[in-house]
Amino acid sequence: MPSIANHLKRIRREAVQNDLITLAWAAYAFILLILFITIGFEAVFYLSSAIRLITLKIIAGLIVAGTVSLFIVNALIEQNKIKRYSWSKLARAAGKLAFPKSDVVINAYQLEQSENSYTSNSLSKSYIQRISNKLKRINLKKLFPAKRADNWKVFSLSILFLGSLMVIIFWDSSSNALTRWGHPKHEFEVPKPFSITGITRNIHLLGGDSTPLSFEISGLLPDSIFLELIPSTKDTALLLAVKPDTNGRYTHLMEEVYQDYRYRAFSPANHFWQAWKKVVSPDYYISVTDRPIMEEFSITVIPPDYSGLPVNIQKGNQADVKGLKGSTVRIDLKSNRPLNKGFLKLDNEKIPLTIRGKRAAGGFIFNRDALLKIELEDNRGITNQNPIPFHLQILPDLNPEMSVIQPAQIVDLGTDQLIPIHLKIEDDFGFSTLQVGYEIKRPSYIEDESLISIFPISIENSTDLSQEVKTIWNLVELGLMPEDEVHYHFEVYDNDEVSGPKKSISSTFIARVPSLGDLFTAMEEKEDQVIDELIMHSKEIEGIQEQLENMKLEMLKSDRLDWDQQQQMEETLAQVQQEADALKKLAESMEAINQSAEKHSLFSDDLMRKFKELQELVNEILNPELMTDLNAFQDALEKMDMKDIMDAMEKLSSNLDQVEQQLDRFLDIFRRIKAEQKLDETIQRMNQLVEQQRIVNENIQTLDEQTDPATIARLSHEEQRNSEEFSNIRDVMEEAAEAMQEFDLESAAALENLEKDHLTNQTESSLSQTARQLQKQRIQQAQQKSAESLENLENLQFMLADIQSQFQDQTTKEMAGKFQTVMRDLLELSKLQESLEQSTRTMPKNSQRLAAMAGQQQFAQDQLMKIMSSLMDLSKETFAVTPQMGKGIGMANAQMEEAKKKLTKRNGRGAANSQQSAMKSLNEAVLAVYQAMNKMQASGSASGYEQFLQRMQEISGRQQGINDQSMQLAFGQLFAAAQRSLMQRLLKQQRQVQKSLQQLMSETRQSGEQGLGDLGGIAEDIDEVIKDFQNKRYQQRTKERQQRILSRMLDSQKSLTQRGFKEERKAEPANAIVYEGPSGLPVDYGQRRSLAMEALNQSLKAGYSRDYQTMIRRYFNALIQSEEQIIPTDTTFNE
Amino acid sequence: MNKAIIIISCSILFAQITVVPQGRNLIQNALLMERKGDLERARTLYEDMLRENPRNRQAYQRLKEILKRTGELESAAQLVEVWINLNHNDLQAYIELGEIVFLKDDKKRAAKIWHDFETTYGTHTSIYRMLVHTFSRLGLTEEMEGLVKRGRSKLGQKDILALDLANYYYSRQTYDRALDEYLIYIIEHPHQEKLVTDRVLLMSDDPENHLLIEKKLVSALENNHVIIDKLLAGYYFKTSRYNEALSTHRSMGLHNNADFKRWLLIAGNLRKESQYDLSIEAYQELLDLELELPPKIIGEALLGLGKTYEDQLLPKTLNNSLVSFYPDNLFFKNEFLQISPRSRESLERTFKLYQRVLQELPASSFSPKAHFRLGEIQFKITRDFDGARTSYLSALASRPDKNLRQNILLRIGETFIAEGNLKAARNHFKLQHRTEKNTSISPFTMKEIHLTFLTGTIDTAKTVLDSVIVNALPNDKYFNDLMELQDIIAQHYTFGSETDKEALVQYSIAERLLQQYKLVEAAEMLAFIRENYPDVSILPIVMLRECLLRLLLEDVSISLNIAQLLQETPFAPQGITIQGEINEQFYGDIDKAMKFYNNLLESYPMSMLAEPVRMHMRQLKNVVES
């Protein structure tokens, strides 16, 4: 009986055998698969020899590895190392198949292996035997079925069948593939579908010629082929796609070939499975023979001398050559080949070049725009091909430009007959001449021919391309008479020597010598306009006040504003604002009137001063408080605070009331001044007439029979002019008399009488007779009448002066009388107050009269109010009403009020003290009135202006003293200690001057006695000087400031219109500058920079603060820098 | 408190971040914000400060004010509560808490707060005063009265808060209660007599209060307080019940020096109020006590009596003349008096009285005064310049005080002027002037100027005038006189023509004559100027002077003519007024006078005469109607 172990060995053998069979069939299937795949791959892709070799080697390696593996596995099985074939596994499998329990066989096997130990041998053996028996009968085929092996068998046969079928079907390819696999080391060529052949093959050309490159295809025609051009210089190859033409040829035209090439065509495979990668033609060659070319080239443009431009050398890479007309152009070139000859071809004109080996040179004068070509021929006779055309372009020498900043288009000449000229001239290369061309036109009734002439203006530096020319044209020499007109224009010539100087002419300007009558009439018209406007504004303001009043009443009715009320208020505010603006404009009108009057010296100094004061008065009408109130009103309205709104309205209303009063005051004074003005005009015109008559008479007296009739005619005209003027003066006399009636009847009557006087009639008659006699050439009679006229005129002149003096005396006296009334009243009140004070002081403390005293005090206060009212009225007539008067009265009023309060509280002593203070204030007012009155009388002027001048004079004297002392510091003549001491002293003095000046300014501002002119700016300078002294330093700047302070002080005394030393915020006339030329000159000349710098300078002079100045500087620097960056890119002019 | 802490904490936490400007401390910034009206930011800053230091009183006060102002009373109350918790001794805070709660309309709680406060702290007058002021501010009259009552009872002081309460009532014109309280107060504080008297007299300004005041004062007399008598006498005096005033003083007795002085005072006051009979009666009554009186009192009484007689000497002038010539100007003033015949008796009495003083009283300080007064009568009334000078010299010899001495010296000089002896006068004043060192304008300087003017040396007068005015102060009593003279000289001399100058010199002669009381000659002189210098600038002044002088001399027709002429001069208002006065006073033609007055009002409404004339017209109308 075989042992269990033997059975198990048998079973294992059966298992291994079964698995080997299965493996064999699987390996077979795999090999077949590999075989057919490799054949297929090779048939399609034509694998390279290397791939094939490697593939085969891998397959062989795998076979060997499989065989070796089999032996190893077998050994492991024998050693029971492989679980699949382990005893236990096999025993269990057998147990499972043959016994009810799967572990029976393993148990038996284990018993068998442990037979002699602790079990019964017989039982074991019996058991083992029984098992063995059963194992003997076991069908191993059942235990290891061959199903898997069969599956593999079927699979491999299927592959074999299918593979064989494919091989048979594609026998050609497969057989070739098998052949190639059979010769793995041999490389087999891939068959291609077509071949490419070059038709043009190798080519020879001259540089710059063109040539076609053609290919033809044998086989299938691809839709395109690639043409590869490889330059001989080994530069980057060119690759071009070429399509077939109708003949099936692939041709590419190669133009202007200048170098050698190698070329070929190819067509790449379109799909990855195509065994061939590309079809390539053989390489072909293009060889090129060189033409002469220019290796070096330069064009030198030498501008004409007058331009001052530098020589410009331009390389050949720029085809545009620009230059001024008259420039010399020189060409220098070097060819790559020795040259035989060469030409410069200017349009159709040929200019030969000078040849020297490879070099050539030539030149010409640049006079017109042209096309320049350079033609060369080398010593082989080969010419250069397509010579580059150079465009010669003439740069224009632009016309000069001119902007007339001053004078205005039409000016009235003043007495000085000077026209300040301020021109800005610009040119690209400089100037030769600047002149004024003028024509003097006499009035039509003179019937004189116009005189045409020129007035040259010197240009300091004619090469300065942009410059301002300032000069003054004195027309006195032209002997202009009233109503003459000078029509003039400015001409500026540039320095163009080639084409001749070009000029620019300004438009025509007119300077007119106005007649005095014209001036006065014009002025009067302006004044009337001012008066009309003032009356209108006064009414407007009154209307606004009414509105405000109504609104106040409305507001009292409710505790909040409705929308309508709010709107109404806003409208009112806007109206007030409008009025304020209008008044500002009015002040400007007054300024214009003043300037005009001053320019033509129309009025006496005294009248001019009064005009100034009037002007200041208009300025003062708009007090800053009004503006503050407006803002406060606006704020209150925004916050909708009823109380604030009411307060703001109250203040605004009060201020408007003041404005209205001021307007009334202005109107009153203006009327008075107008009367004076009329009288002044009469005298002024009479004076001038006398002067003119004197001159004419002198001329007439020198006439004799030999005198040129033209001269006599001229004198006749002049005499006629005088006659007309006299007639006009008579009209003015009438008007003056009418205007004066309101102020002094006596003087008015005297003037009226004078106008109707026999002497006046006689004068008029003699003047016209003189003219007539001259016309008739009756010289003797004319001489007699002329002398008579002059004498009469002089008499009239004297009488008029007398009337003026009488008028002034009378008005001053009248004014003094009014002042006296006020003073008398004040004194009376002062004494009443004194008496009240004494009564109060001595009254028993429990007297019933104490309360009654308050009534008397009220009476005194009412009287004071009357005086105040009178004083207000007086202030409408004269500027001599000073703030001290107002101050005294105001103080007195306050003290009276206080006294009343104390009296009602039975505070007798306190009331007496207040009464005493009231008396004191009244006395102060008296003193002020007395002083003002005396000064007015002493000066003989009712304007009260002298007081201001006197005080100003005193202050400026002190300033002069400080300045003089300061010079010691400047010269460093003192020791340190002495310097310190002097500095302290000067500091103190300067502070005193500052205080006095502030006081004066404040007083004059309050009184409406304005005329500070430039004084406003002094405060700042004084502050600075004080600071310097405080810091114990005295510099040049300090000195300048001191001088400026003094200058302004003196100016303010001398003439209030003169701007003095100060240049801050000086207005520049706004003139339209017509700019017709290019946007600017070449950057080389820095014109733009200079424009910017000028603008900067102007801005810095405009009186801005230091911070603003810094900002302005920064801005302009940035501007200049940005220009420097930008200009080269957009201007290629000189490159 | 917890709520307040929460509120404060929340407001701190959720408040906007406040950007505090550098360089200023918080309180300054907060105050600045407050002033600028930015209460929100100010509030935030105060809250910040309180968070940092809850005892910051300033921040607390300001925050409380802001909360009150913005009507956040609840927050304010909480804030005060927190504050009280931290500051138990801040008594004002308790009252304020009550006030805030009251303003919140929680009156019961407010009353409780104040009650608790009063109970806890009501041991001192100031506590009651604090409460009274709060109650008065809130108009809680009844509470205030109750409080004062409780306070007086608790502290045992009758007058506690009497003045406060009186002022409260006074301000509300509840005069009966005010008087009660004032009387309570004055009895306890007699030294405050002036204060209470003033109040009582102010109350008496309204006649409706008279009965009440009298009743109250008379009732209060029962307690025999002298001060009440004084009040009553003062009241009678003030209400022109001089007899009763004197009687009241009489009832107060005349026993000691203080009484004598009081009596002299009332007698003097009666004289000042023109109650001459009563004044004389009072002086006499005092002098009747001859033996008991100290000589000084006798002297004072006698002089007072003399002065009273003097005051009775009525000057004979135009009644209430509206127009005057440079009124009260030293340089144009005439010291002479022309008394009415009925004043003769007074004059005799006065003489006798001064003689009595000089005879009966030993040489004392009264002698110079008596001599001086005698001299005055001789100078001004009897125009016995020699006699006057003798009296003045006697006065001078009796060692008068400084002021009197000066007056005497001035008068001596004036006697020379009145005699026309200008040289002697000048020498006299020159001598005195040299010794004068006062800073204000010396009367001797004034006299010197006057003399130079009167002598016609206008240039000299002007020079002196200028030099004096330059150094004079405007509050000097002579300043306006000087200015008037200076103006005359400037207008008619400095800026005048030669004729003007001449006329002014002539005018000075007229003034010289007036100083000698040669009225007729002066008028003639003025007429001479008027006729011979028709174009001079001083003419209007000359005419006005003559016009007024002619009236005094009763040359009415001439005066009327001149007044008519004045209408063409700057003195037109004066001319019109004088015409009215002449028609009114001399011709008794009121209607015509009224026409002139009306003319003045219409033609010269701004004249200084317009108001007096208007008042005069009203009086005239009343007289006519009555």
Side-chain angles (χ1 to χ4, degrees), chain A residues 820 823 825 827 830-831 834 842 844 846-849 859 863 866 869 904 906 923 930 933-934 937, chain B residues 201-202 234 238 240 269 272-273 327 474 477 479-480 484 486-487 491 495 605-606 608 610-611 615:
Chain A
Q820 240 189 326
M823 186 175 158
D825 290 350
L827 279 167
S830 162
K831 280 191 280 188
E834 190 181 346
T842 55
N846 49 2
S847 168
Q848 195 177 25
R849 288 182 295 138
F859 169 78
Q863 297 287 64
K866 280 192 173 174
S869 177
T904 49
R906 306 195 67 79
N923 286 345
Y930 175 77
M933 188 170 65
N934 274 4
Q937 284 178 307
Chain B
L201 295 182
L202 282 170
K238 196 258 170 175
S240 307
N269 284 347
K272 285 178 185 169
E273 295 296 310
K477 62 178 178 177
F479 189 88
N480 37 29
E484 277 179 331
Q486 195 186 35
D487 179 45
Q491 294 308 316
F495 297 113
M606 297 312 286
M608 292 286 278
E611 273 315 302
M615 287 194 280

Side-chain angles (χ1 to χ4, degrees), chain B residues 10-28:
Chain B
C10 285
S11 53
I12 290 165
L13 281 172
F14 298 112
Q16 275 187 308
I17 296 164
T18 310
V19 180
V20 181
Q22 296 298 310
R24 262 202 208 111
N25 64 36
L26 278 175
I27 196 77
Q28 279 174 322

Side-chain angles (χ1 to χ4, degrees), chain A residues 54 111 223 244 373 381 478 499 506 527 546 615 784 965 1022 1024 1049 1060 1108 1135:
Chain A
I54 288 167
L111 277 173
D223 57 352
K373 287 181 182 173
L478 303 183
S499 312
S506 72
E527 285 171 3
E546 264 178 43
Q615 186 196 335
Q784 189 192 339
Q965 288 179 67
I1022 295 188
E1024 289 301 321
M1049 284 176 172
Y1108 273 111
E1135 283 180 2

